[in-house]
Amino acid sequence: MQCRRLRFLTACFLALAYAAPATAAEAAFAYKTSYRNVAEDPDHVWTGTALAPTAKGTVTIHEYQLRTAHGDWLISQIWNEDCSSGACPTRLVRIGEDGHRTVAVDDMMHQVVPPDDPRFATTPMSDAQKTFARRPFALSEDGKTLVNGDYKFEVAGAKP
């Protein structure tokens, strides 16, 4: 258990160390909320086996949001059995004016430790790591690319 936690922390800090903060041409997502020990996703992004309990018996969802003149966006990252060393299933969801949700990116992304996570409150971090922890996701100015540290993802249905 201790070894697994150490590997998790190491992977998180390596991801954070190499992640660049959002540039002026990118719009950064802000932390929204965390849902811990869930069996159902309150925002209906995740369903079915994604919500199956882990070996620890829990599933956690962390969310980040971005409001733009062209619409609202939601990042939902689920910590479940599919998480690997430092990456978890993550979805970028476009929220229409009518509330309709469309998944624009569905991929494995850097596992992000949200700012409200007390387990890591006393862990020392560099300024770059702290910045990444506060704003781990950004949308390119043209809305075509989602940036997660050193990962980049094409946004489905992005308008030229």
Side-chain angles (χ1 to χ4, degrees):
M1 172 94 165
Q2 194 71 321
C3 182
R4 185 175 177 164
R5 185 175 179 180
L6 181 59
R7 282 189 307 203
F8 167 76
L9 284 172
T10 301
C12 286
F13 288 123
L14 285 174
L16 292 173
Y18 293 107
T23 66
E26 297 171 339
F29 285 74
Y31 174 74
K32 179 184 173 204
T33 193
S34 293
Y35 302 110
R36 300 181 193 288
N37 305 321
V38 298
E40 185 176 304
D41 180 358
D43 289 318
H44 310 289
V45 175
W46 304 98
T47 60
T49 58
L51 294 165
T54 66
K56 293 181 183 178
T58 63
V59 172
T60 300
I61 301 170
H62 301 293
E63 293 184 341
Y64 294 78
Q65 66 184 359
L66 174 64
R67 298 183 186 279
T68 71
H70 305 292
D72 293 343
W73 297 88
L74 177 72
I75 296 274
S76 183
Q77 184 172 82
I78 191 166
W79 290 13
N80 62 10
E81 284 294 325
D82 294 330
C83 290
S84 63
S85 65
C88 286
T90 307
R91 292 182 177 164
L92 170 64
V93 178
R94 183 186 324 243
I95 303 171
E97 290 180 16
D98 61 355
H100 178 75
R101 294 166 184 248
T102 305
V103 176
V105 177
D106 183 359
D107 213 321
M108 297 294 284
M109 298 187 197
H110 287 299
Q111 187 174 29
V112 177
V113 178
D116 74 336
D117 198 318
R119 296 173 298 169
F120 304 105
T122 59
T123 306
M125 287 196 267
S126 70
D127 287 342
Q129 291 168 328
K130 289 176 188 175
T131 299
F132 179 75
R134 283 190 304 273
R135 305 255 190 225
F137 301 100
L139 191 62
S140 64
E141 185 175 30
D142 64 6
K144 294 181 180 182
T145 307
L146 175 66
V147 180
N148 172 235
D150 56 341
Y151 291 173
K152 293 186 179 191
F153 304 90
E154 184 177 331
V155 175
K159 297 179 181 176

